[in-house]
Amino acid sequence: MRLAYSDTRSSPIVVLLHGFPLSRAMWDGQVEALGAVCRVIAPDLRGHGESESPEGVYTMDAMADDVIELLDALGIDRPVVLGGLSMGGYVALSLALRHPARICGLMLMDTRAAADTPETARGREETARTVLHEGDGHSMIETMIPRLFGKATREKLPHKVGAMLAVMERTAPQGIAGALRGMAARPDRRGELGRIAIPTLVLVGEDDVVAPVDEAREIAGMIPDARLVVIPAAGHLAPFENPAATNAAILGFLAEIPARAAAAPA
Ligand code: MLT
């Protein structure tokens, strides 16, 4: 899989996985601020941004394996700090549970550990068919906007909403369909969260209606070494909506990661 990515090349290494149907552009506020103190790698997951959009179902495992391939291609075999937002969080959980030796810290942002209900999975399949039939994701994106952003962002930062809208409108129909079908097929991970044996930051926007605070609290309660941070004035895209509070939480978390794992020379 040919993936596009941003890479700030210093240490420790932080890998950030975007949500659906976005791109690495959602991490601009993190790449810039965290890039000053660590190496930040933010790929476009398959079907998104500038990466390839092959046919088929993009399972969370397949997207996690793409990330492993990217790390291998970059010669990174020491553990990284892995963060993912929403769909990126599903991918991060897959990677954390199936390749635990590759990460030394986990950041689950505005995401869920439960599987889709049958009704949600059916809705995703219908949406995938509509997007492929219409040849763009426009009608799906229109319905998503109010659910992605918190009230404060919608009212006070319309340029931010516009920027993500433009990113979403550029996502290939085949990429949207592949990701929808992959998310619908993802397993319930809640029973496996107790196996995560590394420091974990669970971060959520206070106004997230897609993956709400209560669900984040539940996830944090099931991971042995987890802490919960609620980001004010933010909805489902907390790192993008309130980068200052998110970056402060991430930097505080990075300071706690055992230095030997995260900051060893390449
Ligand atoms: C996302 O932000 O990645 C999506 O809302 C995730 C989902 O639809 O479950």
Side-chain angles (χ1 to χ4, degrees), residues 10-13 39 75-80 104 257-266:
S10 53
S11 204
I13 299 173
R39 180 175 178 185
I76 297 170
D77 55 7
R78 68 185 181 199
V80 301
C104 57
I257 303 282
R260 74 185 148 69

Side-chain angles (χ1 to χ4, degrees), residues 18-22 85-88 90 110 112 116 124 144 148 180 183 186 210 236-237:
H18 61 79
F20 166 86
L22 302 168
L85 178 126
S86 200
M87 179 184 75
Y90 310 153
D110 298 286
R112 317 183 60 216
D116 278 359
R124 291 202 203 265
M144 285 181 76
L148 286 184
L180 283 169
M183 288 192 284
R186 76 187 193 283
V210 179
H236 187 53
L237 302 186

Side-chain angles (χ1 to χ4, degrees), residues 79-132:
V80 301
V81 177
L82 178 66
L85 178 126
S86 200
M87 179 184 75
Y90 310 153
V91 176
L93 268 182
S94 162
L95 196 155
L97 291 164
R98 294 184 311 114
H99 305 278
R102 302 300 293 263
I103 60 172
C104 57
L106 180 63
M107 300 187 293
L108 299 173
M109 308 185 204
D110 298 286
T111 193
R112 317 183 60 216
D116 278 359
T117 62
E119 190 191 350
T120 303
R122 266 196 306 277
R124 291 202 203 265
E125 178 57 31
E126 269 172 39
T127 307
R129 286 175 195 214
T130 305
V131 168
L132 289 173

Side-chain angles (χ1 to χ4, degrees), residues 72 113 162 190 200 203 225:
D72 289 346
R190 286 174 298 182
T200 301
L203 183 145
D225 186 7

